[in-house]
Amino acid sequence: MLHYLARRLLMMVPLLLGITLISFVVIHLAPGEPTDLQTELNPEASVELKQRLRSQYDLDKPLLTQYGLWLSRLARLDFGNSFSQDRRPVAEKIAERLPVTIAINVLSIVLILLVATPIGVLSAVKRNSLFDRATTIFVFVGFATPSFWLALLLMDFLGARLGVFPISGIKSLGFDYLSPAAQVWDIVHHLILPVLVSAFGGLAGFSRYMRSNMLDVIRQDYILTARAKGLSERTVIYRHALRNALLPVITILGLSVPGLIGGSVIFETIFAIPGMGKLFFDSVMMRDYPVIMGVLVMGAILTLIGNLIADVSYALADPRIRNN
């Protein structure tokens, strides 16, 4: 198992380098530069000033040289300083935002598992029933609903009209004057809508995949044997079928991490949540290259870790995987 884990960790290094190289090139080939925002709105900005700014940011060097300089700083765990007016270290900005994004994504995954697994199992066991047809409609609605549209709809109906949930941020005014228990509830209250929006699309896809796996498993010969032995249907489904149906789902769960991280850009921007997605959106609008690359690297590392956890979990559950 240690050999398998070491091999997977070594494979992550060239993959991460490839992600950073492609991201770096694509970002720098996009139209516009960070100096444009600082000089175009300043009527006194001269050509010499723009050249000095380009030299200060190393933008006057060849692209591969810029990537080499950035990579050498990354090797020292230095993401550089932001191009924005505060000039703060990128690592400091990411450290402030990362816990919020991780918390929302972990809560979304937990919600998806808790809701989608029983829905998928019941849909498979009660195939072609009214419940199965109703969940099928739910799945198609979930796939077809854009997350930004759902977020705006919930904000308007549950937030603005009914006033049930807050519609922006993660803290209320006067948060510092609340008791510790009230502060915890205040944060939870603010995160309910973003977590629901983040998990909605995953609920639809995950429940459908769970249903498909269960249908494949309950047709196997060993399930027929278990029923022939006189075991109760509950024991056959939840002890023999469910465990085997969950194995492929582990892989899907790991692969869903990039989608959750990418989706955080949408709902964090709409709900004004100070997370990685909001930081990424703001840095793209300002062409803040160091922050963009820092966020992309952290997103890539989280994605690779999510895939590694899925692979290790799969290998632990199935000895054939780690032996091969």
Side-chain angles (χ1 to χ4, degrees), residues 227-243:
R227 284 172 172 155
K229 288 168 60 179
L231 297 178
S232 65
E233 188 66 15
R234 184 183 183 86
T235 304
V236 171
I237 295 299
Y238 292 101
R239 179 174 295 180
H240 296 279
L242 180 58
R243 182 178 178 182

Side-chain angles (χ1 to χ4, degrees), residues 210-230:
M210 191 69 210
R211 177 185 182 274
S212 176
N213 287 338
M214 278 297 293
L215 286 175
D216 289 339
V217 170
I218 60 180
R219 292 169 182 156
Q220 300 295 320
D221 292 340
Y222 66 89
I223 297 296
L224 182 63
T225 303
R227 284 172 172 155
K229 288 168 60 179

Side-chain angles (χ1 to χ4, degrees), residues 12 15-24 27 67 70-71 73-75 77-79 90 94 98 261 276 280 289-305:
M12 290 171 60
L15 191 58
L16 181 62
L17 288 176
I19 293 173
T20 59
L21 177 60
I22 294 174
S23 303
F24 194 90
I27 290 170
Y67 177 71
W70 177 83
L71 199 60
R73 289 196 297 268
L74 182 65
L77 301 179
D78 180 13
F79 288 104
V90 175
I94 293 176
L98 189 60
I261 295 174
M276 292 273 287
F280 181 75
Y289 293 160
V291 177
I292 295 173
M293 286 305 300
V295 174
L296 287 176
V297 167
M298 292 306 300
I301 291 175
L302 291 176
T303 301
L304 293 175
I305 290 175

Side-chain angles (χ1 to χ4, degrees), residues 63-293:
L63 192 56
L64 287 180
T65 303
Q66 295 181 45
Y67 177 71
L69 293 172
W70 177 83
L71 199 60
S72 64
R73 289 196 297 268
L74 182 65
R76 301 191 300 271
L77 301 179
D78 180 13
F79 288 104
N81 293 329
S82 170
F83 286 172
S84 60
Q85 294 182 349
D86 56 15
R87 298 289 191 272
R88 293 175 59 198
V90 175
E92 189 176 306
K93 286 191 168 186
I94 293 176
E96 289 178 355
R97 308 292 188 96
L98 189 60
V100 177
T101 300
I102 290 180
I104 292 176
N105 285 309
V106 169
L107 290 173
S108 299
I109 291 176
V110 171
L111 181 63
I112 290 172
L113 283 175
L114 290 178
V115 177
T117 302
I119 288 178
V121 172
L122 289 176
S123 297
V125 173
K126 300 180 179 180
R127 186 184 181 189
N128 295 329
S129 65
L130 180 62
F131 178 81
D132 185 30
R133 296 178 189 278
T135 53
T136 301
I137 295 174
F138 166 75
V139 167
F140 283 114
V141 171
F143 276 129
T145 305
S147 57
F148 72 90
W149 181 79
L150 178 65
L152 294 174
L153 196 69
L154 292 176
M155 287 174 66
D156 178 62
F157 183 68
L158 297 178
R161 296 176 187 271
L162 300 182
V164 179
F165 297 109
I167 59 174
S168 66
I170 59 172
K171 296 178 182 178
S172 301
L173 292 175
F175 177 83
D176 295 334
Y177 302 101
L178 299 175
S179 64
Q183 288 182 345
V184 173
W185 168 244
D186 187 60
I187 294 176
V188 171
H189 197 206
H190 279 78
L191 291 181
I192 289 177
L193 281 185
V195 170
L196 285 177
V197 172
S198 174
F200 186 72
L203 282 176
F206 196 82
S207 62
R208 206 63 183 173
Y209 196 78
M210 191 69 210
R211 177 185 182 274
S212 176
N213 287 338
M214 278 297 293
L215 286 175
D216 289 339
V217 170
I218 60 180
R219 292 169 182 156
Q220 300 295 320
D221 292 340
Y222 66 89
I223 297 296
L224 182 63
T225 303
R227 284 172 172 155
K229 288 168 60 179
L231 297 178
S232 65
E233 188 66 15
R234 184 183 183 86
T235 304
V236 171
I237 295 299
Y238 292 101
R239 179 174 295 180
H240 296 279
L242 180 58
R243 182 178 178 182
N244 291 290
L246 279 174
L247 288 179
V249 173
I250 295 173
T251 304
I252 296 298
L253 195 63
L255 296 176
S256 66
V257 174
L260 290 173
I261 295 174
S264 64
V265 176
I266 299 174
F267 65 79
E268 284 183 9
T269 303
I270 293 176
F271 288 103
I273 295 175
M276 292 273 287
K278 182 72 164 53
L279 178 65
F280 181 75
F281 179 80
D282 294 339
S283 59
V284 169
M285 298 304 292
M286 297 178 63
R287 297 183 180 87
D288 194 345
Y289 293 160
V291 177
I292 295 173
M293 286 305 300

Side-chain angles (χ1 to χ4, degrees), residues 3-57:
H3 176 70
Y4 175 80
L5 183 61
R7 190 175 58 186
R8 294 288 292 116
L9 288 172
L10 286 176
M11 290 173 61
M12 290 171 60
V13 176
L15 191 58
L16 181 62
L17 288 176
I19 293 173
T20 59
L21 177 60
I22 294 174
S23 303
F24 194 90
V25 172
V26 170
I27 290 170
H28 283 73
L29 290 180
E33 287 187 344
T35 54
D36 294 341
L37 297 176
Q38 300 177 22
T39 56
E40 288 180 352
L41 299 179
N42 184 4
E44 299 181 355
S46 60
V47 177
E48 289 76 14
L49 174 61
K50 187 172 182 178
Q51 289 298 328
R52 283 201 301 272
L53 287 174
R54 295 188 81 248
S55 176
Q56 179 183 346
Y57 298 152

